[in-house]
Amino acid sequence: VIAPAAGIKEILQNYGVSAGKITIIPNGIDTQLFSGQKTNFLKEKYQLPPDAVVAVYTGRLGREKNSEFLLEAFAKVIKETGAILFLVGSGPLAGTIKTRVRKPPLAGRVIYVGPVPHPEINQYYLGADFFITASLTEVHPLVVLEAMACGCPPVAINAPGTGDIITSEKDGLLAKNNLNDFSAAI
């Protein structure tokens, strides 16, 4: 049995999977595509101040990715900082999220980009100060690996998958699955 991360191996064992050995083989990414020097791409494209703090989320916008919780946490952050969040992706909650980010306190601080061709996503990581995800359903999240390969430190909830990749306070931050801890980490 193959598991892409130690956290998933543990889940499989807890489910009672005992069909021989469980081997961990992590997902990989094309580090040629996800690399480069930090840029001002987002600040220039969206005419942001040079000192703006920029966060990016890439991926599916769905209930299983905890998208609404992410926005709730970022709303708390907006009250304390001038940070700006770019949402890159689509999914079943895209319409709801597009409507929500047009209203205070998210209006002007959360920018829904929508889907971006995969070869162009690295520009969003390279143009951001950090990457955020609130997903609790990751196996071995490619978006976290992509962000890290671009030098964009991740902020995530400590859950299987993200907790297997990120070493908190070394290459990113892991938070507990509650609004105060997650918004404080952001």
Side-chain angles (χ1 to χ4, degrees), residues 48-49 52-53 55 74 78 81-86 101 105-111:
L48 302 176
V53 176
F74 203 77
I78 289 168
T81 72
I84 296 168
L85 171 62
F86 287 87
V101 302
L106 304 177
R109 292 293 178 191
V110 178
I111 299 166

Side-chain angles (χ1 to χ4, degrees), residues 36-60:
Q37 297 296 314
K38 285 291 187 186
T39 70
N40 287 322
F41 168 75
L42 292 172
K43 291 176 183 176
E44 290 170 3
K45 181 174 181 171
Y46 293 91
Q47 300 176 345
L48 302 176
D51 62 344
V53 176
V54 177
V56 66
Y57 167 86
T58 60
R60 185 165 159 51

Side-chain angles (χ1 to χ4, degrees), residues 68-90:
E68 299 215 27
F69 178 79
L70 179 120
L71 291 180
E72 191 177 343
F74 203 77
K76 283 187 72 159
V77 170
I78 289 168
K79 292 177 183 176
E80 299 173 23
T81 72
I84 296 168
L85 171 62
F86 287 87
L87 299 172
V88 179
S90 191

Side-chain angles (χ1 to χ4, degrees), residues 77-154:
V77 170
I78 289 168
K79 292 177 183 176
E80 299 173 23
T81 72
I84 296 168
L85 171 62
F86 287 87
L87 299 172
V88 179
S90 191
L93 290 181
T96 302
I97 287 172
K98 279 194 263 187
T99 300
R100 186 168 177 196
V101 302
R102 290 185 191 125
K103 298 176 184 174
L106 304 177
R109 292 293 178 191
V110 178
I111 299 166
Y112 175 77
V113 177
V116 170
H118 197 253
E120 296 174 21
I121 290 175
N122 69 328
Q123 292 303 308
Y124 287 84
Y125 297 127
L126 292 170
D129 296 300
F130 61 100
F131 169 83
I132 60 176
T133 180
S135 180
L136 301 172
T137 62
E138 299 299 334
V139 176
H140 196 74
L142 295 176
V143 292
V144 172
L145 295 172
E146 292 169 356
M148 291 171 77
C150 286
C152 187

Side-chain angles (χ1 to χ4, degrees), residues 4 31 119:
T31 55

